[in-house]
Structure formats: structure tokens, C-alpha cells
Amino acid sequence: ARPDRDEWPEQFRELSTETQAMYRYAVKSKELLQYMPCFCGCVNGGHTSNYDCYVRAVLPDGRVRLDTMSFG
């Protein structure tokens, strides 16, 4: 994804408006979400915060790899 250009994968665009909004919020809210623990059990998948539930990685060129946990 390239949130700064509003470019998202096709699979993302198929999500509900509410789910898309959660991902958009998470991408720009690391400062807050990195301190919020996740309670859905994904800690076993390596998640350390609520931010990790939505963002897998931010690449140096600004692209974002989304975690597809909430894609359903």
C-alpha cells in the first residue's frame, strides 16, 4: 500500500468501509497504537501491540505492508 498516495491493494478495497477506516487509522497512528496491547490472541503470531494487527512493515520508500488479520 502507498497510503500517502491513497494507493491500496485491490483486496483492501473489497473490505467494508469500517474495516478500511481501521487500517487507515492504524497506518497513521503508530505513536498511539504501539503502546496498546492486542487482546485477540495474535501475540502468538509475533504481534506486540495493536499497531501490529494492521501493519506488518513500513518500507523505506514509504510503502506499507498490511497485516491481513482483519481482512476476514
Side-chain angles (χ1 to χ4, degrees):
R2 284 298 304 248
D4 58 330
R5 298 180 185 171
D6 197 30
E7 295 174 1
W8 302 88
E10 187 61 35
Q11 189 180 15
F12 172 87
R13 299 233 182 242
E14 295 171 0
L15 300 172
S16 70
T17 302
E18 293 83 8
T19 303
Q20 287 185 32
M22 292 186 309
Y23 275 94
R24 290 175 193 275
Y25 178 80
V27 165
K28 62 184 177 182
S29 301
K30 181 178 183 176
E31 302 79 30
L32 175 64
L33 296 180
Q34 69 182 340
Y35 298 110
M36 299 176 90
C38 177
F39 297 103
C40 70
C42 59
V43 68
N44 296 331
H47 293 179
T48 60
S49 70
N50 197 265
Y51 178 77
D52 294 335
C53 294
Y54 298 94
V55 178
R56 184 174 300 269
V58 178
L59 304 176
D61 65 0
R63 288 179 297 148
V64 175
R65 290 216 171 123
L66 303 175
D67 190 293
T68 58
M69 180 190 77
S70 292
F71 275 33

